Amino acid sequence: MTFTIYAASRVGCVRANNEDMLLVDNSYVRNSKMQARTNLSNTDRYLLALADGMGGHQRGEVASSLVLHNLHFFFNDIPAKLVPGDFFEAIYGWLGSINNTLEAQGQNDPDYRGMGTTLVALAFYNKEFYWMNCGDSRLYRLRNGELTQITTDHSLNNLMGSREHSNVITNCIGGGCKSSYIDMVQCTPEIQPSDTLLLCSDGLSDMLTDEQIKQNILDGGNADTLCQAAEAAGGYDNVSVILVHVSD
C-alpha cells in the first residue's frame, strides 16, 4: 500500500501566530507545506499526526510542538512487533507521561501554565493501522464520493447531541485537563486502496462544511487548497491539513 501525502499549515486571517503543528513521518510542518510519498511495505512504522495548541501568547504553539516531538521519538522507540493490546498500552502510558511533562513545564514557568493541545493521528505499526484522537481535531475518510468523519469530537456540543462544532472541548492533552483520555482504534480493515484520508484542525471544519471539504478534494484539491478555502471563508483560526491518497 502506498500513501501520497499533502500537508499544509497556515496561520489564517485573524490569529497572530500559528499554534497548529503537523508531523509527517520525520518532518514537522508549521506555516509551510510539503508533499511526500511512501510505500508502507518498506517500513515497520509510519506516523501522521496533527496537534492544535491552545493557551494563547505562544503557549499553544509550545504545547503542540512539545507533544508532537515527544510522540515522534516515543513512537520510533516502541519495540518492534508488539501485539495490538500492548501497542494500545504503550500509547496510553505515553499520554500519562506527556500530560505530566506539560504540567511540570507550567509549574517551572508560569508563562506556560495551562497550555494544552488536541491530537489526532494515524499510525502504521507492525503492518496494522491505528487512529487515535484526543480533542476536537478530526480524521475523515473519503470513499466512493462519500465523506465520513471517523473520529468523535470531544466537545460540549457533541456531549449534548449536537452535530455543530463547539469551541468548548471536554478533553485535551495538558490544558489543565485532569482526566485526559485518548480514543484509539485498530482500523486496518477500514483503510483501502482508492480511499482518501483527511486529518484536520477545527480551523478547517469550522470554516467549511463537510460538503465543501468533499467537493474541494473531488475537484483535485490538496492540503494547501483546503487551507486557502478556509481562509477565503474567513480564516478565523489557524488551519492545518494532512491529505492522504491511498493506492496499491
Side-chain angles (χ1 to χ4, degrees), residues 72-94:
H72 179 202
F73 290 115
F74 178 85
F75 179 72
N76 285 329
D77 281 343
I78 293 175
K81 299 183 179 180
L82 292 182
V83 298
D86 290 341
F87 182 67
F88 287 167
E89 289 303 317
I91 297 298
Y92 297 152
W94 169 80

Side-chain angles (χ1 to χ4, degrees), residues 1-4 37-43 46 124 247-248:
M1 191 173 284
T2 297
F3 276 6
T4 302
R37 184 177 174 88
T38 185
N39 186 331
L40 296 176
S41 64
N42 296 329
T43 182
Y46 197 87
F124 177 72
S247 59
D248 279 334

Side-chain angles (χ1 to χ4, degrees), residues 20 52 200-208 230 235 237-240:
D20 291 359
D52 179 352
C200 67
S201 63
D202 62 352
L204 182 75
S205 55
D206 278 353
M207 292 293 98
L208 302 180
D237 199 354
N238 310 142
V239 55
S240 299

